[in-house]
Structures are given as C-alpha cells and as structure tokens.
Amino acid sequence: MNKTNNRIVSGMRPTGPLHFGHYFGVLVNWMKLQESHDCYFFVADWHAMTSEYADPKRIKQFVPQLVLDWVAAGLDPEKCVIYQQSAVKEIAELHLILSMITPLGWLERCPTYKEVKQQLVQKDLNTYGFLGYPVLMSSDILMFKPGAVPVGQDQLPHLELCREIARRFNHLNDTPFFPEPQDMLTPDAKLPGLDGRKMSKSYGNAIGLGESMEEIQPKVMKMLTDASRMRKSDPGDPEVCNLFPYHKTMTSEEDQAMIQAGCRDASWGCVDCKKKLLESMQTFITPLQERRAALLKNPDELWAILERGNVTARAAAQATMEELRNTLNFNF
Ligand code: TRP
C-alpha cells in the first residue's frame, strides 16, 4: 500500500451541459467518494481538443459551465480538488515523456480508437493527438499516483493501457515509480433517456441539470409509458415502463410502492404517474437550482474555484515531476 492509495483521480471533457444521466451515473458516485477519498476531479479541456481542435475557442465557455454543473449538483470544492487540466502544464511534460515509451501498437489496438474513429467520420480524427489520447489520459492519472480511478465501462481499455504504460516505465527505469491504479467501475446508468435509450444529448432524449420545471414538464408529459397499457383501465407493468426508473431514483420508497400497486391494478393512470414524477423532480431539483442561481450571481467564482484547485494540483504535479526528472537524470 502506498500512502496515496486513498487518492482517486477522474475527469470529464467540457463539451456541453450535463444531464440527469450524468448526475445519477457519475456525479452521485463522485459525491460519495468526496466524503471518503482524497479526490482530484478535473475539467479535461486538453482532451476536448482532440476532437474539437478546429474550433478550440468553443471549449472555453464549457469549462466554467462544467464546474457550475458539478458544484450545483453537490460536489464540494472544500472536500475535493477541482481543477483544470490545461492549468497544470506538468501534465503536458509527463505526456511527452510517456509518449516516448508507449509502443504504437498498443495505441492502434485500443478498441476506443478504432470505434470512435469510425463514428466521428464528419470530423477528421486521423491525428497524432487522437491516437495518443490514452497517453494523455495516463498522464492525467499517473501524475497524481492515485490508488484508483472511477470510470465508466467505456474507459476501461484506457485504464488498462495506463497500467501497461506505468509498468513499462517502472521496468525501463528499474523503479516502482508509478503505482498501478485500479479501476473503480461506475455502476451502470440507473436512468434511461426519455425514450428508453441511453440518456444522451445527441439522442435528444436528455433532461439538462440546468433546466427549469417549465422546460422539464412537457418532456415528462410526452414520455412513453408501458406500451401495452392502452387505456387507464388496463393494468400496467412498472418493470417495463420507462417512467419507473425515474421514480426509483427520485420518489420516496413509500410512494414508489403506492405507484407500483396503482399501476398494476389500474387504479392509477399514466398521467397521474407523470404528475407525481414532476413533483418528485421538483423536490430533487430545487436545491440544485438554488445552488446554481447562487453561483451564477457571481460567475467569476467558478474560475476562482478552479484556480484554488489548480494551485493544489500544480503543487502535487510539480513534486511528481521533480522526482521523475531526477529518476531520468533529466534534472538540468
Ligand atoms: N477519457 C475520459 C472520458 O472521455 C475523460 C478523462 C480524461 C479521464 N482523463 C481522465 C477520466 C483521467 C478519468 C481519469 O470520459
């Protein structure tokens, strides 16, 4: 056990506003971790550039917006380090050094490299930076020598590569310099999109964390329910209804039992169920909206939160890099 084993590092790319799927998938997990772990959470703006390089100016507005979404959701800058990747220049230096030792074949074989390249045909991702994305991600992680990295399933190949790079570095330099970070898999998304598919802005089936009840209401009223329940007098099945996962995450257990019974014996209709969900959502979203409004009164504070985190992250990064330059005899 190394002494930083309680540390975790994770990041998100600033590419747009977050939605309820992010909240119940990633953020709930991060908020739990901030109570028990030494958390480093960062805005991965250099990563956003791998796909947005043709218009990097767009990225800047999304940086404070991501911090706004995080802090309004309940991440507490007093409990975790919130920082901006590009403000820690040491990460670029580590990326350079790790790129020297990373075999091309490891990157070319990375499944996410092959997939994303096919998906994003409209953008030219045939770049050196995109191929090297996992090396940059390894630098983000290894810089802070965390015990674990909370990520979604899709990021596991990157984390495996990160461990391989760490192992190779340690082997080449004959020192256990980088501890191998474990993966801490984020539980599966508990909340599907409005249409039952994975919630995603690009599917147009998302509810943004910053949306008002006026914006949310028509979306909820249009949601599809149990398709076999044609009339209110037909019994329904909450297990196949797309509304029920929403109740599961936002409605009290007592009311959930009432809803299930009412749906099954047809004493309660889908419109009633949606109205009840809107009430639950209102209760859920009110504290988030209050925090958001307070933060928006003084938007400079979002940059100030980042800057305070940047100072802490930079100090840790400088310590790692000094040690690393000594190890490599590159301490000129
Ligand atoms: N690649 C991650 C994503 O797209 C974001 C990310 C960048 C990250 N660096 C990281 C996550 C380091 C965890 C640790 O979601």
Side-chain angles (χ1 to χ4, degrees), residues 42-69:
F42 70 98
V43 178
D45 53 349
W46 274 332
H47 281 277
M49 245 182 118
T50 51
S51 55
E52 306 299 317
Y53 61 85
D55 194 6
K57 289 190 199 73
R58 269 168 49 84
I59 298 172
K60 189 168 181 181
Q61 56 170 319
F62 294 133
V63 172
Q65 200 183 79
L66 191 55
V67 177
L68 174 67
D69 278 335

mmCIF file of all heavy atoms in Angstrom, residues 42-69:
data_model
loop_
_atom_site.group_PDB
_atom_site.id
_atom_site.type_symbol
_atom_site.label_atom_id
_atom_site.label_comp_id
_atom_site.label_asym_id
_atom_site.label_seq_id
_atom_site.Cartn_x
_atom_site.Cartn_y
_atom_site.Cartn_z
ATOM 1 N N PHE A 42 -11.092 16.766 -12.407
ATOM 2 C CA PHE A 42 -10.641 17.850 -13.281
ATOM 3 C C PHE A 42 -11.457 17.983 -14.571
ATOM 4 O O PHE A 42 -12.086 17.045 -15.039
ATOM 5 C CB PHE A 42 -9.153 17.669 -13.610
ATOM 6 C CG PHE A 42 -8.867 16.500 -14.502
ATOM 7 C CD1 PHE A 42 -8.702 16.677 -15.866
ATOM 8 C CD2 PHE A 42 -8.775 15.229 -13.985
ATOM 9 C CE1 PHE A 42 -8.442 15.602 -16.703
ATOM 10 C CE2 PHE A 42 -8.518 14.140 -14.805
ATOM 11 C CZ PHE A 42 -8.351 14.335 -16.169
ATOM 12 N N VAL A 43 -11.402 19.209 -15.093
ATOM 13 C CA VAL A 43 -12.023 19.530 -16.373
ATOM 14 C C VAL A 43 -10.993 19.197 -17.450
ATOM 15 O O VAL A 43 -9.934 19.823 -17.539
ATOM 16 C CB VAL A 43 -12.388 21.030 -16.426
ATOM 17 C CG1 VAL A 43 -12.996 21.378 -17.770
ATOM 18 C CG2 VAL A 43 -13.321 21.400 -15.281
ATOM 19 N N ALA A 44 -11.311 18.213 -18.270
ATOM 20 C CA ALA A 44 -10.334 17.682 -19.226
ATOM 21 C C ALA A 44 -10.372 18.482 -20.526
ATOM 22 O O ALA A 44 -10.808 17.995 -21.573
ATOM 23 C CB ALA A 44 -10.610 16.195 -19.476
ATOM 24 N N ASP A 45 -9.899 19.738 -20.454
ATOM 25 C CA ASP A 45 -10.043 20.600 -21.633
ATOM 26 C C ASP A 45 -9.069 20.239 -22.760
ATOM 27 O O ASP A 45 -9.415 20.370 -23.936
ATOM 28 C CB ASP A 45 -9.994 22.096 -21.268
ATOM 29 C CG ASP A 45 -8.787 22.504 -20.461
ATOM 30 O OD1 ASP A 45 -8.048 21.613 -19.970
ATOM 31 O OD2 ASP A 45 -8.566 23.720 -20.311
ATOM 32 N N TRP A 46 -7.887 19.750 -22.422
ATOM 33 C CA TRP A 46 -6.994 19.297 -23.498
ATOM 34 C C TRP A 46 -7.613 18.092 -24.227
ATOM 35 O O TRP A 46 -7.478 17.951 -25.436
ATOM 36 C CB TRP A 46 -5.617 18.906 -22.939
ATOM 37 C CG TRP A 46 -4.661 20.062 -22.813
ATOM 38 C CD1 TRP A 46 -4.642 21.196 -23.568
ATOM 39 C CD2 TRP A 46 -3.575 20.175 -21.878
ATOM 40 N NE1 TRP A 46 -3.612 22.012 -23.149
ATOM 41 C CE2 TRP A 46 -2.941 21.411 -22.128
ATOM 42 C CE3 TRP A 46 -3.077 19.357 -20.859
ATOM 43 C CZ2 TRP A 46 -1.834 21.848 -21.402
ATOM 44 C CZ3 TRP A 46 -1.977 19.795 -20.136
ATOM 45 C CH2 TRP A 46 -1.361 21.033 -20.410
ATOM 46 N N HIS A 47 -8.286 17.246 -23.456
ATOM 47 C CA HIS A 47 -8.935 16.095 -24.098
ATOM 48 C C HIS A 47 -10.024 16.542 -25.062
ATOM 49 O O HIS A 47 -10.216 15.944 -26.111
ATOM 50 C CB HIS A 47 -9.538 15.165 -23.052
ATOM 51 C CG HIS A 47 -8.528 14.290 -22.399
ATOM 52 N ND1 HIS A 47 -8.105 13.115 -22.957
ATOM 53 C CD2 HIS A 47 -7.833 14.438 -21.266
ATOM 54 C CE1 HIS A 47 -7.197 12.566 -22.170
ATOM 55 N NE2 HIS A 47 -7.004 13.350 -21.137
ATOM 56 N N ALA A 48 -10.750 17.606 -24.666
ATOM 57 C CA ALA A 48 -11.801 18.105 -25.562
ATOM 58 C C ALA A 48 -11.191 18.538 -26.889
ATOM 59 O O ALA A 48 -11.807 18.422 -27.948
ATOM 60 C CB ALA A 48 -12.543 19.267 -24.907
ATOM 61 N N MET A 49 -9.959 19.008 -26.828
ATOM 62 C CA MET A 49 -9.304 19.474 -28.050
ATOM 63 C C MET A 49 -8.992 18.360 -29.035
ATOM 64 O O MET A 49 -8.878 18.627 -30.233
ATOM 65 C CB MET A 49 -8.005 20.175 -27.684
ATOM 66 C CG MET A 49 -8.043 21.639 -28.034
ATOM 67 S SD MET A 49 -6.490 22.379 -27.647
ATOM 68 C CE MET A 49 -5.995 22.897 -29.252
ATOM 69 N N THR A 50 -8.902 17.138 -28.569
ATOM 70 C CA THR A 50 -8.593 16.060 -29.514
ATOM 71 C C THR A 50 -9.656 15.980 -30.605
ATOM 72 O O THR A 50 -9.343 15.703 -31.756
ATOM 73 C CB THR A 50 -8.461 14.674 -28.830
ATOM 74 O OG1 THR A 50 -9.598 14.453 -28.024
ATOM 75 C CG2 THR A 50 -7.197 14.557 -28.022
ATOM 76 N N SER A 51 -10.915 16.245 -30.242
ATOM 77 C CA SER A 51 -11.953 16.216 -31.277
ATOM 78 C C SER A 51 -12.385 17.618 -31.711
ATOM 79 O O SER A 51 -12.923 17.780 -32.804
ATOM 80 C CB SER A 51 -13.166 15.419 -30.791
ATOM 81 O OG SER A 51 -13.623 15.938 -29.572
ATOM 82 N N GLU A 52 -12.136 18.638 -30.885
ATOM 83 C CA GLU A 52 -12.619 19.999 -31.199
ATOM 84 C C GLU A 52 -11.490 20.921 -31.652
ATOM 85 O O GLU A 52 -11.604 22.129 -31.558
ATOM 86 C CB GLU A 52 -13.290 20.627 -29.965
ATOM 87 C CG GLU A 52 -14.396 19.807 -29.343
ATOM 88 C CD GLU A 52 -15.557 19.545 -30.271
ATOM 89 O OE1 GLU A 52 -15.964 20.485 -30.976
ATOM 90 O OE2 GLU A 52 -16.027 18.396 -30.322
ATOM 91 N N TYR A 53 -10.394 20.332 -32.117
ATOM 92 C CA TYR A 53 -9.214 21.160 -32.393
ATOM 93 C C TYR A 53 -9.443 22.235 -33.454
ATOM 94 O O TYR A 53 -8.767 23.244 -33.491
ATOM 95 C CB TYR A 53 -8.004 20.289 -32.779
ATOM 96 C CG TYR A 53 -8.222 19.461 -34.036
ATOM 97 C CD1 TYR A 53 -7.997 20.006 -35.295
ATOM 98 C CD2 TYR A 53 -8.658 18.147 -33.954
ATOM 99 C CE1 TYR A 53 -8.219 19.249 -36.448
ATOM 100 C CE2 TYR A 53 -8.884 17.398 -35.092
ATOM 101 C CZ TYR A 53 -8.663 17.950 -36.331
ATOM 102 O OH TYR A 53 -8.884 17.224 -37.452
ATOM 103 N N ALA A 54 -10.435 22.025 -34.319
ATOM 104 C CA ALA A 54 -10.663 23.008 -35.387
ATOM 105 C C ALA A 54 -11.305 24.287 -34.841
ATOM 106 O O ALA A 54 -11.273 25.319 -35.491
ATOM 107 C CB ALA A 54 -11.543 22.401 -36.469
ATOM 108 N N ASP A 55 -11.887 24.191 -33.645
ATOM 109 C CA ASP A 55 -12.561 25.359 -33.075
ATOM 110 C C ASP A 55 -12.351 25.403 -31.559
ATOM 111 O O ASP A 55 -13.301 25.328 -30.775
ATOM 112 C CB ASP A 55 -14.067 25.277 -33.408
ATOM 113 C CG ASP A 55 -14.782 26.590 -33.153
ATOM 114 O OD1 ASP A 55 -14.109 27.594 -32.832
ATOM 115 O OD2 ASP A 55 -16.024 26.608 -33.264
ATOM 116 N N PRO A 56 -11.089 25.522 -31.127
ATOM 117 C CA PRO A 56 -10.801 25.402 -29.693
ATOM 118 C C PRO A 56 -11.436 26.511 -28.854
ATOM 119 O O PRO A 56 -11.650 26.330 -27.666
ATOM 120 C CB PRO A 56 -9.273 25.473 -29.623
ATOM 121 C CG PRO A 56 -8.833 26.088 -30.900
ATOM 122 C CD PRO A 56 -9.864 25.746 -31.919
ATOM 123 N N LYS A 57 -11.786 27.639 -29.476
ATOM 124 C CA LYS A 57 -12.373 28.756 -28.707
ATOM 125 C C LYS A 57 -13.691 28.353 -28.056
ATOM 126 O O LYS A 57 -14.074 28.882 -27.023
ATOM 127 C CB LYS A 57 -12.623 29.963 -29.618
ATOM 128 C CG LYS A 57 -11.356 30.648 -30.059
ATOM 129 C CD LYS A 57 -11.676 31.971 -30.747
ATOM 130 C CE LYS A 57 -10.538 32.457 -31.598
ATOM 131 N NZ LYS A 57 -10.375 31.656 -32.853
ATOM 132 N N ARG A 58 -14.367 27.438 -28.699
ATOM 133 C CA ARG A 58 -15.658 26.978 -28.156
ATOM 134 C C ARG A 58 -15.515 26.304 -26.798
ATOM 135 O O ARG A 58 -16.443 26.295 -26.002
ATOM 136 C CB ARG A 58 -16.267 25.951 -29.123
ATOM 137 C CG ARG A 58 -17.179 26.537 -30.176
ATOM 138 C CD ARG A 58 -17.477 25.478 -31.232
ATOM 139 N NE ARG A 58 -17.892 24.190 -30.652
ATOM 140 C CZ ARG A 58 -19.135 23.914 -30.280
ATOM 141 N NH1 ARG A 58 -20.082 24.787 -30.438
ATOM 142 N NH2 ARG A 58 -19.442 22.738 -29.758
ATOM 143 N N ILE A 59 -14.345 25.713 -26.568
ATOM 144 C CA ILE A 59 -14.176 24.904 -25.357
ATOM 145 C C ILE A 59 -14.252 25.765 -24.097
ATOM 146 O O ILE A 59 -14.817 25.356 -23.090
ATOM 147 C CB ILE A 59 -12.840 24.118 -25.405
ATOM 148 C CG1 ILE A 59 -12.857 23.158 -26.602
ATOM 149 C CG2 ILE A 59 -12.606 23.353 -24.114
ATOM 150 C CD1 ILE A 59 -11.528 22.479 -26.872
ATOM 151 N N LYS A 60 -13.734 27.002 -24.195
ATOM 152 C CA LYS A 60 -13.581 27.826 -23.003
ATOM 153 C C LYS A 60 -14.890 28.052 -22.235
ATOM 154 O O LYS A 60 -14.914 27.994 -21.011
ATOM 155 C CB LYS A 60 -12.943 29.170 -23.362
ATOM 156 C CG LYS A 60 -12.569 29.969 -22.140
ATOM 157 C CD LYS A 60 -11.694 31.147 -22.458
ATOM 158 C CE LYS A 60 -11.344 31.897 -21.176
ATOM 159 N NZ LYS A 60 -10.520 33.056 -21.460
ATOM 160 N N GLN A 61 -15.977 28.300 -22.982
ATOM 161 C CA GLN A 61 -17.251 28.557 -22.290
ATOM 162 C C GLN A 61 -17.717 27.311 -21.513
ATOM 163 O O GLN A 61 -18.420 27.423 -20.506
ATOM 164 C CB GLN A 61 -18.321 28.965 -23.301
ATOM 165 C CG GLN A 61 -18.493 27.917 -24.382
ATOM 166 C CD GLN A 61 -19.697 28.133 -25.269
ATOM 167 O OE1 GLN A 61 -20.763 28.491 -24.817
ATOM 168 N NE2 GLN A 61 -19.509 27.897 -26.569
ATOM 169 N N PHE A 62 -17.321 26.153 -21.994
ATOM 170 C CA PHE A 62 -17.793 24.928 -21.337
ATOM 171 C C PHE A 62 -17.010 24.601 -20.061
ATOM 172 O O PHE A 62 -17.444 23.775 -19.272
ATOM 173 C CB PHE A 62 -17.709 23.737 -22.300
ATOM 174 C CG PHE A 62 -18.642 23.844 -23.480
ATOM 175 C CD1 PHE A 62 -18.194 23.580 -24.772
ATOM 176 C CD2 PHE A 62 -19.974 24.199 -23.301
ATOM 177 C CE1 PHE A 62 -19.056 23.669 -25.856
ATOM 178 C CE2 PHE A 62 -20.845 24.296 -24.378
ATOM 179 C CZ PHE A 62 -20.383 24.027 -25.661
ATOM 180 N N VAL A 63 -15.863 25.253 -19.887
ATOM 181 C CA VAL A 63 -15.034 24.950 -18.705
ATOM 182 C C VAL A 63 -15.737 25.397 -17.420
ATOM 183 O O VAL A 63 -16.016 24.560 -16.546
ATOM 184 C CB VAL A 63 -13.610 25.542 -18.850
ATOM 185 C CG1 VAL A 63 -12.826 25.408 -17.552
ATOM 186 C CG2 VAL A 63 -12.863 24.875 -20.006
ATOM 187 N N PRO A 64 -16.097 26.705 -17.281
ATOM 188 C CA PRO A 64 -16.798 27.089 -16.052
ATOM 189 C C PRO A 64 -18.187 26.457 -15.971
ATOM 190 O O PRO A 64 -18.699 26.213 -14.876
ATOM 191 C CB PRO A 64 -16.897 28.614 -16.143
ATOM 192 C CG PRO A 64 -16.704 28.938 -17.581
ATOM 193 C CD PRO A 64 -15.839 27.866 -18.154
ATOM 194 N N GLN A 65 -18.773 26.169 -17.129
ATOM 195 C CA GLN A 65 -20.106 25.556 -17.125
ATOM 196 C C GLN A 65 -20.080 24.159 -16.481
ATOM 197 O O GLN A 65 -21.010 23.764 -15.779
ATOM 198 C CB GLN A 65 -20.601 25.452 -18.564
ATOM 199 C CG GLN A 65 -22.099 25.292 -18.687
ATOM 200 C CD GLN A 65 -22.494 25.127 -20.143
ATOM 201 O OE1 GLN A 65 -22.365 24.051 -20.703
ATOM 202 N NE2 GLN A 65 -22.966 26.195 -20.761
ATOM 203 N N LEU A 66 -18.983 23.462 -16.720
ATOM 204 C CA LEU A 66 -18.860 22.136 -16.124
ATOM 205 C C LEU A 66 -18.696 22.251 -14.609
ATOM 206 O O LEU A 66 -19.316 21.501 -13.840
ATOM 207 C CB LEU A 66 -17.658 21.400 -16.752
ATOM 208 C CG LEU A 66 -17.521 19.908 -16.460
ATOM 209 C CD1 LEU A 66 -18.776 19.131 -16.844
ATOM 210 C CD2 LEU A 66 -16.312 19.321 -17.186
ATOM 211 N N VAL A 67 -17.911 23.235 -14.187
ATOM 212 C CA VAL A 67 -17.744 23.458 -12.745
ATOM 213 C C VAL A 67 -19.088 23.838 -12.127
ATOM 214 O O VAL A 67 -19.447 23.363 -11.041
ATOM 215 C CB VAL A 67 -16.685 24.557 -12.481
ATOM 216 C CG1 VAL A 67 -16.552 24.840 -10.999
ATOM 217 C CG2 VAL A 67 -15.336 24.147 -13.069
ATOM 218 N N LEU A 68 -19.844 24.664 -12.845
ATOM 219 C CA LEU A 68 -21.178 25.047 -12.373
ATOM 220 C C LEU A 68 -22.058 23.804 -12.191
ATOM 221 O O LEU A 68 -22.696 23.623 -11.150
ATOM 222 C CB LEU A 68 -21.815 26.014 -13.383
ATOM 223 C CG LEU A 68 -23.261 26.428 -13.137
ATOM 224 C CD1 LEU A 68 -23.383 27.277 -11.878
ATOM 225 C CD2 LEU A 68 -23.816 27.211 -14.343
ATOM 226 N N ASP A 69 -22.064 22.932 -13.191
ATOM 227 C CA ASP A 69 -22.873 21.712 -13.084
ATOM 228 C C ASP A 69 -22.420 20.844 -11.913
ATOM 229 O O ASP A 69 -23.238 20.278 -11.192
ATOM 230 C CB ASP A 69 -22.796 20.896 -14.392
ATOM 231 C CG ASP A 69 -23.763 21.407 -15.462
ATOM 232 O OD1 ASP A 69 -24.779 22.021 -15.108
ATOM 233 O OD2 ASP A 69 -23.493 21.177 -16.660
#
